[in-house]
Amino acid sequence: MSITGLEKPHILTQGLWLPEQIREGERQAAAAMAMAMFELMSRAGLAAFELARREWPGSRHWWVFCGGGNNGGDGYVVARLARAAGIKVQLVQMGDADALTGDAAIARDHYRADGGAIERLGALQGAPDLVIDAVLGTGLNGAPREVAQQHIDVINRQHVPVLAIDVPSGLCAGTGCIPVKSVSAAATITFVGLKSGLLTGRGPDVCGRLWLADLGIQHRLEQQPAVQLLHWHHQRNLLPVRRCGAHKGETGRLLVAGGYQGMSGAIRLAGEAALRCGTGLVRLLSHADHVHWLNLTRPELMTAVFPGFEQWAWSDALIVGPGLGRHDWSRQLLTAALAAGKPMVIDADALHLLKERVSVSTVITPHSGEAAAMLGCTAAEIESNRLLAVQRLREQTGAVVVLKGAGTLIAGEQGLALCPYGNPGMASGGMGDLLSGIIGAFLAQGLAPEQAARLGVCLHAKAGDMAAQSGMVGMLASDLLNPIRSLINRTDEYDNNKPDSDTGR
């Protein structure tokens, strides 16, 4: 058994599972190994206890909140081990402790046999140093009961670290949705395999630092992960390599189409991002009102005016959408771009105007609002199940789909993938235009659409994390341009980020 963080690539953190996959996999693995399910619960509790002692060694008074399922059983194991280590423990059972069944009841009995007391919510005294959240587990799919919400409120009112067991209570582990409210944890330790909802939607808001304890059985899971977890160290192997005698004509020609009146910034950001990603030639196709000063401070960018542009065959790839608007001019430009038949990124306003299926060489990059417009629903419905939404968009459009947001998802022929990088400082105007430019750059340099999307999303998010080292608040999209160049040119020897392949077993 090992406890693994997500700071470096690791063989245990290559995929994400749905909660039902893990539950079934646990039963199958335990049966194949002739192991009692209570042994898995004991291992989970031990892993959580060891992590708590390691991360908060000075904590001497713990509150442990237990629910009515196996998640609560894990809490009882943690509480028993803590008492044995001389830590003061106050354990709160949600509901009737005597109503527990199965392995949770066994864990309760062991805790009681060692002298542990079970208390009600109103009986808690003093102030804890640490809270263990084992109220609701991975089976939650809707709004928790009122009594559970009361326990969540009490946990969140404590101004101390919270360690969530498997998943913060109130978070749906499969979707990343929070139907009502959730525990806000300083750290979450999840078991056997990473659950998809921990890393997308609202999951990153409430999970804190994420740890995985494989309990020694991940290698026995029969099902494949539902989602691939992307690691920059692996994705950067897709970066185009230039020969020593390369010239600009063979490093990609990209045409960026958009920029209606008053919206020149978006197309400029996309174009400059493409240059920073190594594209040999970038041309901005825009409205006549501002086309002549788009490249005043970046003369490496070329410009052209629409309508009247006829050189569609010049480019290796297209981007259409940044600053496009939703006017007759915008529709005409989109129609002309689609007719060019080039590998293409479609973003922003172009997504609202798109009325047809696109070629398989197309990447679309909606955020939740744009995805909702395309699917005829609300942004809240998109966020309630981002995995389902990105799959529906893939089926509807035929494109490689990048569903932006916390835990950006990519859907293509290779299945679903999730990018774990990025930060809230990237919630500012122009970040999506930058991403379009990055993906378009790699399309122009010959990468397949799905490769370009996965590489581009990871590079964009990693650059955002580098830029955030100077502070997240007030970070601009253009602040990512230098980190993008730095990341593209780094080597293993430079960043010392080789993956850890040790399984810990």
Side-chain angles (χ1 to χ4, degrees):
M1 183 175 70
S2 65
I3 302 177
T4 304
L6 300 186
E7 286 75 14
K8 293 179 66 177
H10 191 287
I11 193 171
L12 294 178
T13 61
Q14 301 303 302
L16 301 169
W17 277 264
L18 299 175
E20 53 268 29
Q21 288 183 296
I22 295 295
R23 287 192 290 270
E24 180 61 24
E26 287 175 344
R27 289 190 288 269
Q28 292 171 345
M33 299 169 71
M35 178 191 299
M37 290 297 291
F38 183 69
E39 171 62 22
L40 284 182
M41 181 175 286
S42 298
R43 292 184 182 188
L46 176 60
F49 169 72
E50 290 180 341
L51 179 64
R53 289 301 302 273
R54 188 176 77 194
E55 293 296 297
W56 300 282
S59 60
R60 305 302 302 167
H61 181 190
W62 294 8
W63 285 1
V64 181
F65 290 76
C66 295
N70 284 342
N71 194 248
D74 298 339
Y76 276 101
V77 175
V78 173
R80 178 174 57 82
L81 293 171
R83 290 188 74 257
I87 295 168
K88 179 181 178 181
V89 173
Q90 289 183 275
L91 184 146
V92 174
Q93 172 66 54
M94 182 182 71
D96 184 2
D98 292 328
L100 295 176
T101 60
D103 297 321
I106 296 173
R108 173 206 62 201
D109 292 343
H110 286 183
Y111 171 74
R112 278 176 166 168
D114 285 348
I118 300 173
E119 303 181 37
R120 290 290 184 179
L121 199 59
L124 290 168
Q125 297 178 349
D129 303 316
L130 177 68
V131 172
I132 307 295
D133 165 30
V135 179
L136 300 174
T138 61
L140 181 70
N141 288 311
R145 292 177 298 144
E146 180 63 31
V147 64
Q149 295 181 42
Q150 292 172 1
H151 284 70
I152 290 170
D153 286 338
V154 171
I155 292 172
N156 285 338
R157 284 200 296 267
Q158 309 311 310
H159 299 291
V160 298
V162 177
L163 174 62
I165 304 296
D166 218 0
V167 59
S169 293
L171 175 72
C172 295
T175 64
C177 172
I178 299 176
V180 181
K181 60 182 66 175
S182 167
V183 164
S184 182
T188 298
I189 181 167
T190 198
F191 305 121
V192 182
L194 294 170
K195 286 76 178 178
S196 51
L198 300 174
L199 287 164
T200 195
R202 294 291 309 281
D205 287 342
V206 297
C207 286
R209 194 175 182 192
L210 190 57
W211 298 88
L212 169 66
D214 72 315
L215 307 187
I217 68 167
Q218 190 186 97
H219 66 295
R220 304 299 289 264
L221 295 180
E222 297 181 6
Q223 298 185 62
Q224 292 298 310
V227 183
Q228 180 183 347
L229 185 63
L230 300 179
H231 291 291
W232 169 243
H233 177 90
H234 298 140
Q235 291 303 307
R236 72 178 182 190
N237 292 329
L238 299 173
L239 286 167
V241 178
R242 298 184 180 186
R243 64 184 182 90
C244 291
H247 59 79
K248 63 180 181 289
E250 66 182 66
T251 56
R253 294 183 174 94
L254 180 67
L255 184 65
V256 188
Y260 186 66
Q261 290 172 302
M263 294 187 286
S264 60
I267 191 173
R268 164 61 193 272
L269 281 169
E272 188 159 358
L275 287 175
R276 290 299 184 188
C277 289
T279 311
L281 295 166
V282 179
R283 177 176 285 170
L284 307 183
L285 179 60
S286 187
H287 197 279
D289 278 9
H290 52 235
V291 71
H292 299 298
W293 50 265
L294 274 175
N295 62 350
L296 282 179
T297 58
R298 181 55 64 207
E300 296 88 350
L301 290 167
M302 297 180 288
T303 61
V305 175
F306 183 86
F309 180 77
E310 301 293 341
Q311 300 178 44
W312 296 98
W314 170 85
S315 66
D316 298 306
L318 294 173
I319 300 170
V320 59
L324 182 66
R326 305 180 197 178
H327 310 275
D328 288 341
W329 179 92
S330 313
R331 294 182 181 88
Q332 293 168 13
L333 179 52
L334 175 60
T335 299
L338 291 171
K342 300 285 186 177
M344 183 182 305
V345 179
I346 302 178
D347 185 28
D349 286 323
L351 295 171
H352 289 273
L353 301 177
L354 190 65
K355 302 298 181 184
E356 59 192 77
R357 283 179 65 86
V358 294
S359 74
V360 294
S361 61
T362 301
V363 179
I364 64 172
T365 60
H367 54 56
S368 58
E370 292 157 346
M374 297 180 75
L375 292 175
C377 62
T378 66
E381 289 174 296
I382 297 294
E383 289 298 308
S384 71
N385 195 331
R386 288 170 54 81
L387 273 69
L388 177 62
V390 75
Q391 290 170 310
R392 288 182 60 198
L393 285 167
R394 166 94 177 136
E395 294 168 0
Q396 175 175 301
T397 65
V400 173
V401 182
V402 174
L403 181 57
K404 297 181 290 193
T408 291
L409 294 165
I410 303 104
E413 290 184 355
Q414 299 176 42
L416 292 181
L418 183 147
C419 175
Y421 311 117
N423 62 81
M426 299 174 74
S428 65
M431 288 291 177
D433 305 309
L434 209 71
L435 176 61
S436 294
I438 294 169
I439 297 173
F442 294 133
L443 282 179
Q445 293 175 71
L447 267 65
E450 194 166 3
Q451 289 180 319
R454 290 184 173 199
L455 174 61
V457 166
C458 276
L459 174 59
H460 178 255
K462 283 289 287 184
D465 287 344
M466 286 183 65
Q469 292 174 9
S470 300
M472 287 188 293
V473 178
M475 190 166 73
L476 304 179
S478 55
D479 293 334
L480 275 61
L481 292 170
N482 285 335
I484 285 170
R485 185 182 179 194
S486 176
L487 283 164
I488 286 175
N489 288 284
R490 284 188 174 193
T491 63
D492 282 344
E493 291 72 21
Y494 181 84
D495 65 16
N496 192 29
N497 191 32
K498 295 181 179 179
D500 180 2
S501 60
D502 181 13
T503 64
R505 289 190 281 272

